[in-house]
Short mmCIF file of all heavy atoms in Angstrom, two decimals:
data_model
loop_
_atom_site.label_atom_id
_atom_site.label_comp_id
_atom_site.label_asym_id
_atom_site.label_seq_id
_atom_site.Cartn_x
_atom_site.Cartn_y
_atom_site.Cartn_z
N GLY A 810 -9.27 -13.85 -0.72
CA GLY A 810 -8.37 -12.71 -0.77
C GLY A 810 -6.97 -13.10 -1.04
O GLY A 810 -6.69 -14.32 -1.26
N VAL A 811 -6.11 -12.19 -1.04
CA VAL A 811 -4.68 -12.39 -1.23
C VAL A 811 -4.11 -13.01 -0.06
O VAL A 811 -4.41 -12.68 1.07
CB VAL A 811 -3.94 -10.96 -1.55
CG1 VAL A 811 -2.46 -11.33 -1.62
CG2 VAL A 811 -4.41 -10.32 -2.79
N SER A 840 2.28 -7.05 -6.91
CA SER A 840 3.25 -6.18 -6.46
C SER A 840 3.77 -6.46 -5.12
O SER A 840 2.92 -6.92 -4.26
CB SER A 840 2.69 -4.71 -6.45
OG SER A 840 2.41 -4.36 -7.96
N TYR A 842 5.68 -4.83 -1.46
CA TYR A 842 6.02 -3.60 -0.80
C TYR A 842 6.85 -4.03 0.49
O TYR A 842 6.38 -5.09 1.13
CB TYR A 842 4.76 -2.77 -0.46
CG TYR A 842 4.09 -2.29 -1.75
CD1 TYR A 842 3.17 -3.05 -2.29
CD2 TYR A 842 4.23 -0.98 -2.17
CE1 TYR A 842 2.51 -2.52 -3.43
CE2 TYR A 842 3.73 -0.49 -3.40
CZ TYR A 842 2.71 -1.28 -3.94
OH TYR A 842 2.07 -0.96 -5.03
N GLN A 844 7.40 -2.51 4.29
CA GLN A 844 6.72 -1.52 5.35
C GLN A 844 7.71 -1.58 6.54
O GLN A 844 7.73 -2.62 7.26
CB GLN A 844 5.28 -1.85 5.63
CG GLN A 844 4.69 -0.66 6.58
CD GLN A 844 3.16 -0.93 6.75
OE1 GLN A 844 2.70 -2.06 6.75
NE2 GLN A 844 2.44 0.02 6.94
N GLY A 847 10.30 3.44 9.96
CA GLY A 847 11.05 4.54 9.52
C GLY A 847 10.78 5.07 8.14
O GLY A 847 10.72 6.25 7.74
N GLN A 848 10.68 4.11 7.05
CA GLN A 848 10.55 4.40 5.67
C GLN A 848 9.14 4.35 5.19
O GLN A 848 8.91 4.64 4.07
CB GLN A 848 11.51 3.42 5.00
CG GLN A 848 12.87 3.61 5.10
CD GLN A 848 13.39 5.05 4.95
OE1 GLN A 848 13.18 5.64 3.89
NE2 GLN A 848 14.18 5.63 5.90
N GLY A 849 8.23 3.69 6.03
CA GLY A 849 6.86 3.53 5.68
C GLY A 849 6.64 2.41 4.56
O GLY A 849 7.50 1.43 4.61
N LEU A 850 5.80 2.76 3.60
CA LEU A 850 5.51 1.69 2.52
C LEU A 850 6.28 2.05 1.34
O LEU A 850 6.27 3.01 0.79
CB LEU A 850 4.06 1.71 2.23
CG LEU A 850 3.16 0.98 3.13
CD1 LEU A 850 1.64 1.40 3.06
CD2 LEU A 850 3.03 -0.63 2.57
N PHE A 852 7.69 0.52 -2.47
CA PHE A 852 7.43 -0.40 -3.56
C PHE A 852 8.65 -1.18 -3.87
O PHE A 852 9.83 -0.49 -4.08
CB PHE A 852 7.02 0.42 -4.83
CG PHE A 852 6.87 -0.38 -6.02
CD1 PHE A 852 5.82 -1.21 -6.33
CD2 PHE A 852 7.94 -0.24 -7.02
CE1 PHE A 852 5.69 -1.99 -7.52
CE2 PHE A 852 7.84 -1.04 -8.18
CZ PHE A 852 6.74 -1.90 -8.44
N GLU A 855 6.99 -5.18 -9.44
CA GLU A 855 5.74 -5.71 -9.79
C GLU A 855 5.91 -6.81 -10.84
O GLU A 855 6.87 -6.60 -11.69
CB GLU A 855 4.80 -4.57 -10.47
CG GLU A 855 3.50 -5.01 -10.95
CD GLU A 855 2.84 -4.12 -11.88
OE1 GLU A 855 3.48 -3.14 -12.38
OE2 GLU A 855 1.55 -4.45 -12.23
N ARG A 862 7.73 -6.00 -14.41
CA ARG A 862 7.33 -4.77 -15.12
C ARG A 862 7.91 -3.51 -14.43
O ARG A 862 8.20 -2.45 -15.22
CB ARG A 862 5.84 -4.64 -15.02
CG ARG A 862 5.13 -5.56 -15.99
CD ARG A 862 3.64 -5.18 -15.96
NE ARG A 862 3.37 -3.88 -16.55
CZ ARG A 862 2.27 -3.32 -16.84
NH1 ARG A 862 1.15 -3.97 -16.40
NH2 ARG A 862 2.04 -2.16 -17.50
N ASN A 863 8.04 -3.44 -13.20
CA ASN A 863 8.49 -2.16 -12.53
C ASN A 863 9.39 -2.66 -11.28
O ASN A 863 9.21 -3.65 -10.75
CB ASN A 863 7.27 -1.40 -11.89
CG ASN A 863 6.60 -0.57 -12.83
OD1 ASN A 863 7.07 0.43 -13.32
ND2 ASN A 863 5.38 -0.96 -13.15
N ARG A 901 -3.77 -7.20 -8.52
CA ARG A 901 -4.65 -6.59 -9.38
C ARG A 901 -5.11 -7.17 -10.65
O ARG A 901 -4.20 -8.07 -11.05
CB ARG A 901 -4.25 -4.99 -9.53
CG ARG A 901 -3.00 -4.89 -10.51
CD ARG A 901 -2.50 -3.36 -10.52
NE ARG A 901 -1.42 -3.34 -11.45
CZ ARG A 901 -1.58 -2.78 -12.58
NH1 ARG A 901 -2.65 -2.04 -13.03
NH2 ARG A 901 -0.59 -2.77 -13.45
N VAL A 903 -5.53 -5.96 -13.69
CA VAL A 903 -4.78 -5.30 -14.85
C VAL A 903 -5.69 -4.84 -15.92
O VAL A 903 -5.98 -3.73 -16.16
CB VAL A 903 -3.63 -6.02 -15.41
CG1 VAL A 903 -3.00 -5.33 -16.62
CG2 VAL A 903 -2.60 -6.39 -14.30
N PRO A 907 -10.97 -1.73 -12.72
CA PRO A 907 -10.41 -0.63 -12.10
C PRO A 907 -8.98 -0.80 -11.66
O PRO A 907 -8.72 -2.05 -11.29
CB PRO A 907 -11.24 -0.24 -10.95
CG PRO A 907 -11.96 -1.50 -10.54
CD PRO A 907 -12.14 -2.23 -11.94
N ASN A 908 -8.10 0.07 -11.65
CA ASN A 908 -6.79 -0.10 -11.22
C ASN A 908 -6.68 -0.13 -9.69
O ASN A 908 -6.33 0.85 -9.07
CB ASN A 908 -5.93 1.15 -11.82
CG ASN A 908 -4.50 0.86 -11.44
OD1 ASN A 908 -3.87 -0.32 -11.13
ND2 ASN A 908 -3.65 1.84 -11.55
N GLU A 909 -7.21 -1.12 -9.19
CA GLU A 909 -7.31 -1.34 -7.62
C GLU A 909 -6.41 -2.38 -7.19
O GLU A 909 -6.51 -3.58 -7.85
CB GLU A 909 -8.73 -1.59 -7.21
CG GLU A 909 -8.93 -1.63 -5.68
CD GLU A 909 -10.22 -1.99 -5.26
OE1 GLU A 909 -11.20 -1.83 -6.09
OE2 GLU A 909 -10.53 -2.22 -4.14
N GLN A 910 -5.62 -2.14 -6.23
CA GLN A 910 -4.65 -3.23 -5.64
C GLN A 910 -5.33 -3.87 -4.41
O GLN A 910 -5.80 -2.94 -3.53
CB GLN A 910 -3.29 -2.69 -5.44
CG GLN A 910 -2.57 -2.29 -6.74
CD GLN A 910 -1.20 -2.13 -6.43
OE1 GLN A 910 -0.43 -2.85 -5.59
NE2 GLN A 910 -0.50 -1.27 -7.24
N PHE A 912 -4.59 -5.95 -1.01
CA PHE A 912 -3.40 -6.36 -0.26
C PHE A 912 -3.56 -7.61 0.68
O PHE A 912 -4.67 -7.94 1.13
CB PHE A 912 -2.86 -5.31 0.72
CG PHE A 912 -2.29 -4.14 -0.01
CD1 PHE A 912 -2.93 -3.09 -0.71
CD2 PHE A 912 -0.96 -4.00 0.06
CE1 PHE A 912 -2.37 -2.09 -1.45
CE2 PHE A 912 -0.23 -2.90 -0.70
CZ PHE A 912 -0.96 -1.99 -1.32
N GLY A 913 -2.43 -8.39 0.70
CA GLY A 913 -2.48 -9.55 1.65
C GLY A 913 -2.17 -9.05 3.00
O GLY A 913 -2.01 -7.74 3.30
N PRO A 914 -2.09 -9.85 3.98
CA PRO A 914 -2.00 -9.67 5.40
C PRO A 914 -0.47 -9.36 5.76
O PRO A 914 -0.22 -8.71 6.89
CB PRO A 914 -2.51 -10.89 6.08
CG PRO A 914 -2.17 -11.80 5.18
CD PRO A 914 -2.50 -11.35 3.76
N GLU B 384 -2.78 8.88 -10.85
CA GLU B 384 -3.88 8.39 -10.25
C GLU B 384 -3.76 8.42 -8.81
O GLU B 384 -2.68 7.90 -8.30
CB GLU B 384 -4.24 7.06 -10.87
CG GLU B 384 -5.71 6.52 -10.50
CD GLU B 384 -6.09 5.27 -11.20
OE1 GLU B 384 -5.24 4.77 -12.07
OE2 GLU B 384 -7.19 4.73 -10.92
N PHE B 386 -5.10 7.77 -4.74
CA PHE B 386 -5.96 6.90 -3.97
C PHE B 386 -5.71 7.21 -2.42
O PHE B 386 -4.77 7.84 -2.11
CB PHE B 386 -5.34 5.40 -4.04
CG PHE B 386 -5.28 4.88 -5.51
CD1 PHE B 386 -4.19 5.15 -6.17
CD2 PHE B 386 -6.25 4.10 -5.88
CE1 PHE B 386 -4.08 4.69 -7.55
CE2 PHE B 386 -6.20 3.68 -7.35
CZ PHE B 386 -5.06 3.86 -8.09
N TYR B 388 -5.92 4.80 0.86
CA TYR B 388 -6.05 3.41 1.53
C TYR B 388 -6.10 3.51 3.04
O TYR B 388 -5.70 4.48 3.61
CB TYR B 388 -4.75 2.61 1.22
CG TYR B 388 -4.74 1.95 -0.07
CD1 TYR B 388 -4.35 2.69 -1.17
CD2 TYR B 388 -5.05 0.62 -0.28
CE1 TYR B 388 -4.40 2.20 -2.58
CE2 TYR B 388 -5.25 0.08 -1.61
CZ TYR B 388 -4.79 0.81 -2.62
OH TYR B 388 -4.72 0.25 -3.91
N GLN B 390 -6.16 1.41 6.86
CA GLN B 390 -5.86 0.20 7.66
C GLN B 390 -6.39 0.30 9.06
O GLN B 390 -5.97 1.07 9.93
CB GLN B 390 -4.28 -0.05 7.64
CG GLN B 390 -3.84 -1.40 8.18
CD GLN B 390 -2.43 -1.63 7.93
OE1 GLN B 390 -1.60 -0.84 7.87
NE2 GLN B 390 -2.16 -2.91 7.85
N ARG B 395 -6.04 -5.76 7.16
CA ARG B 395 -5.04 -5.52 6.14
C ARG B 395 -5.35 -4.07 5.41
O ARG B 395 -6.59 -3.59 5.54
CB ARG B 395 -5.07 -6.54 5.11
CG ARG B 395 -6.42 -6.85 4.37
CD ARG B 395 -6.44 -8.00 3.35
NE ARG B 395 -6.21 -9.32 4.26
CZ ARG B 395 -5.93 -10.52 3.57
NH1 ARG B 395 -5.92 -10.52 2.31
NH2 ARG B 395 -5.93 -11.49 4.27
N LEU B 396 -4.41 -3.67 4.74
CA LEU B 396 -4.70 -2.42 3.90
C LEU B 396 -5.73 -2.62 2.86
O LEU B 396 -5.75 -3.56 2.24
CB LEU B 396 -3.30 -2.08 3.24
CG LEU B 396 -2.97 -0.64 2.90
CD1 LEU B 396 -2.99 0.23 4.05
CD2 LEU B 396 -1.62 -0.62 2.26
N GLN B 397 -6.56 -1.57 3.01
CA GLN B 397 -7.73 -1.72 1.96
C GLN B 397 -7.98 -0.37 1.24
O GLN B 397 -7.65 0.69 1.91
CB GLN B 397 -8.97 -2.28 2.68
CG GLN B 397 -9.46 -1.38 3.73
CD GLN B 397 -10.64 -2.04 4.39
OE1 GLN B 397 -11.70 -2.10 3.93
NE2 GLN B 397 -10.35 -2.73 5.47
N LEU B 398 -8.57 -0.32 -0.01
CA LEU B 398 -8.76 0.75 -0.66
C LEU B 398 -9.94 1.60 -0.13
O LEU B 398 -10.97 0.87 0.19
CB LEU B 398 -8.89 0.53 -2.19
CG LEU B 398 -9.41 1.74 -3.05
CD1 LEU B 398 -7.94 2.70 -3.26
CD2 LEU B 398 -9.69 1.27 -4.46
N ARG B 401 -10.78 6.21 -4.88
CA ARG B 401 -9.85 6.46 -6.00
C ARG B 401 -10.40 7.81 -6.52
O ARG B 401 -11.61 8.02 -6.65
CB ARG B 401 -10.05 5.39 -7.06
CG ARG B 401 -9.84 4.07 -6.62
CD ARG B 401 -10.28 3.05 -7.75
NE ARG B 401 -9.55 3.25 -8.97
CZ ARG B 401 -10.26 3.29 -10.09
NH1 ARG B 401 -11.59 3.04 -10.18
NH2 ARG B 401 -9.64 3.34 -11.24
N TYR B 438 -3.53 6.22 4.33
CA TYR B 438 -2.35 6.34 3.48
C TYR B 438 -2.87 7.05 2.25
O TYR B 438 -3.88 6.44 1.53
CB TYR B 438 -1.72 5.10 3.17
CG TYR B 438 -0.99 4.43 4.38
CD1 TYR B 438 -1.59 3.41 5.25
CD2 TYR B 438 0.40 4.90 4.69
CE1 TYR B 438 -0.88 2.83 6.21
CE2 TYR B 438 0.96 4.12 5.69
CZ TYR B 438 0.37 3.18 6.44
OH TYR B 438 1.01 2.67 7.43
N SER B 442 -0.31 6.56 -8.21
CA SER B 442 0.10 5.61 -9.21
C SER B 442 0.39 6.50 -10.43
O SER B 442 -0.47 7.37 -10.86
CB SER B 442 -0.96 4.62 -9.38
OG SER B 442 -0.75 3.80 -10.60
N GLY B 443 1.48 6.23 -11.18
CA GLY B 443 1.68 6.89 -12.42
C GLY B 443 0.91 6.45 -13.54
O GLY B 443 0.09 5.51 -13.42
N GLY B 445 -0.03 4.81 -17.32
CA GLY B 445 0.44 3.71 -17.92
C GLY B 445 -0.03 2.42 -17.25
O GLY B 445 0.66 1.37 -17.43
N ASN B 446 -1.15 2.36 -16.50
CA ASN B 446 -1.67 1.13 -15.93
C ASN B 446 -0.61 0.47 -15.16
O ASN B 446 -0.32 -0.82 -15.43
CB ASN B 446 -2.25 0.28 -17.04
CG ASN B 446 -3.20 -0.74 -16.42
OD1 ASN B 446 -3.51 -0.68 -15.24
ND2 ASN B 446 -3.57 -1.69 -17.29
N THR B 447 0.09 1.10 -14.26
CA THR B 447 1.11 0.52 -13.52
C THR B 447 0.69 0.04 -12.20
O THR B 447 -0.21 0.58 -11.59
CB THR B 447 2.30 1.45 -13.39
OG1 THR B 447 3.27 0.99 -12.51
CG2 THR B 447 1.81 2.84 -12.83
N GLY B 448 1.26 -0.93 -11.57
CA GLY B 448 0.90 -1.62 -10.31
C GLY B 448 1.95 -0.90 -9.32
O GLY B 448 1.99 -1.46 -8.20
N LYS B 449 2.68 0.11 -9.60
CA LYS B 449 3.57 0.79 -8.60
C LYS B 449 2.87 1.87 -8.00
O LYS B 449 2.37 2.79 -8.52
CB LYS B 449 4.86 1.26 -9.36
CG LYS B 449 5.70 2.18 -8.47
CD LYS B 449 6.99 2.58 -9.21
CE LYS B 449 7.82 3.47 -8.21
NZ LYS B 449 9.01 4.04 -9.11
N LEU B 450 2.68 1.77 -6.61
CA LEU B 450 2.10 2.80 -5.78
C LEU B 450 3.15 3.41 -4.90
O LEU B 450 4.07 2.70 -4.42
CB LEU B 450 1.01 2.08 -4.85
CG LEU B 450 -0.34 1.69 -5.45
CD1 LEU B 450 -1.18 0.96 -4.36
CD2 LEU B 450 -1.06 2.95 -6.04
N ILE B 451 3.08 4.76 -5.01
CA ILE B 451 4.00 5.54 -4.07
C ILE B 451 3.12 6.10 -2.86
O ILE B 451 2.11 6.76 -3.22
CB ILE B 451 4.68 6.67 -4.84
CG1 ILE B 451 5.38 6.10 -5.98
CG2 ILE B 451 5.39 7.50 -3.87
CD1 ILE B 451 5.81 7.14 -6.91
N PHE B 452 3.49 5.56 -1.66
CA PHE B 452 2.67 5.99 -0.54
C PHE B 452 3.20 7.08 0.20
O PHE B 452 4.41 7.33 0.33
CB PHE B 452 2.61 4.83 0.30
CG PHE B 452 1.72 3.67 0.04
CD1 PHE B 452 2.22 2.61 -0.81
CD2 PHE B 452 0.34 3.61 0.38
CE1 PHE B 452 1.32 1.57 -1.25
CE2 PHE B 452 -0.48 2.61 0.00
CZ PHE B 452 0.04 1.52 -0.81
N GLY B 453 2.32 7.88 0.89
CA GLY B 453 2.63 8.84 1.95
C GLY B 453 3.03 8.09 3.21
O GLY B 453 2.98 6.82 3.27
N GLN B 454 3.58 8.80 4.21
CA GLN B 454 3.93 8.28 5.51
C GLN B 454 2.71 7.72 6.29
O GLN B 454 2.94 7.12 7.24
CB GLN B 454 4.78 9.23 6.28
CG GLN B 454 6.29 9.34 5.60
CD GLN B 454 7.02 8.05 5.82
OE1 GLN B 454 7.04 7.14 4.98
NE2 GLN B 454 7.81 8.00 6.86
#
Side-chain angles (χ1 to χ4, degrees):
Chain A
V811 177
S840 295
Y842 297 85
Q844 185 174 26
Q848 300 297 317
L850 278 154
F852 173 79
E855 178 193 14
R862 282 189 69 177
N863 281 295
R901 66 189 183 109
V903 180
N908 184 19
E909 176 180 354
Q910 293 195 32
F912 283 81
Chain B
E384 195 169 350
F386 305 84
Y388 278 83
Q390 189 166 30
R395 61 184 68 187
L396 199 59
Q397 58 186 284
L398 179 67
R401 305 167 60 220
Y438 292 95
S442 173
N446 195 11
T447 170
K449 176 181 179 179
L450 285 173
I451 298 167
F452 284 90
Q454 289 289 86

